[in-house]
Amino acid sequence: MPLAFFITLFVFSIFKVLREYERGVIFFLGRFQKVKGPGLIIVIPLIQQMVRVDLRTIVMDVPTQDVISRDNVSVKVNAVVYFKVVDPEKAIIQVEDFLAATSQLSQTTLRSVLGQHELDDMLAERDQLNGDIQSILDKQTNAWGIKVSNVEIKHVDLDESMIRAIAQQAEAERTRRAKVIHALGENEASEQLLSAAKTLAKQPQALQLRYLQTLTEIAGDKSSTIIFPIPMDFMQGLKQILDNKVTK
């Protein structure tokens, strides 16, 4: 009975079942033999050893890193990295622990890439920075049989003093834009007034009508202003007399 029990246990230990997303890296007497799976496989105890490898996409949270930007601003940044094993043989043989190695490489790459950019780029150009980090990680982890598919910067935390400085900068920028828009409006208005003056100068009757319209607007129902209209012809005649005296 004991012998039958051990034989049965030995037979059952030979068979291994690997799920669809799993692969088994088989070593024969310590030497790499092949990658098996998925499904039912045979592993001979004591002679063969199997290491399971998960092929699903792994979501790794990169711990918060202290980064000093190119314009000497200290920020705290964390990110998330999406990667998966595409070559189980390299993931087991070429690196001791591919999860720890990828995590450490992600942290150093995050600090290195963001340290080359200014704070405004970190806040406004996240897509480009994500692509740069992903490209560098994917190139370096390729030797480990790992494919980095995506990197996303989650948070860029600033000190309270820096937040106030950014708010003041934004307020100053809005004030500058308001002044520029006001100046442009004044410029356009002066050009329109100059064009209107030229048009009225060509037609004196139009100037007389504009004069009468102005009197109508001033003499409203609730206005206490007293208007003494002077004919435009009288003003023209007075101007000619003054011009003649100046000439003499």
Side-chain angles (χ1 to χ4, degrees), residues 44-76:
I44 302 175
L46 303 179
I47 299 177
Q48 292 180 323
Q49 296 84 34
M50 182 189 71
V51 179
R52 292 176 183 264
V53 180
D54 196 323
L55 302 184
R56 292 177 294 181
T57 298
I58 299 173
V59 182
M60 176 176 291
D61 188 24
V62 180
T64 302
Q65 302 295 309
D66 292 326
V67 179
I68 299 178
S69 65
R70 194 171 64 180
D71 51 349
N72 296 323
V73 178
S74 179
V75 296
K76 295 183 180 297

Side-chain angles (χ1 to χ4, degrees), residues 1 31-32 46 85 181 192 195:
M1 290 298 294
R31 297 177 61 88
F32 171 74
L46 303 179
V85 177
I181 293 173
Q192 294 297 327
S195 177

Side-chain angles (χ1 to χ4, degrees), residues 67 69 75 114 117-124 126 129 156:
V67 179
S69 65
V75 296
L114 295 185
H117 294 78
E118 296 182 355
L119 177 61
D120 293 340
D121 296 334
M122 295 184 193
L123 299 177
R126 287 197 181 186
L129 295 177
V156 178

Side-chain angles (χ1 to χ4, degrees), residues 24 42 59 62 66 103 116-117 130 173 177 201 216 238 244:
I42 296 176
V59 182
V62 180
D66 292 326
S103 176
Q116 300 174 9
H117 294 78
N130 292 337
E173 178 65 19
R177 292 181 182 179
T216 303
L238 183 60
N244 293 332

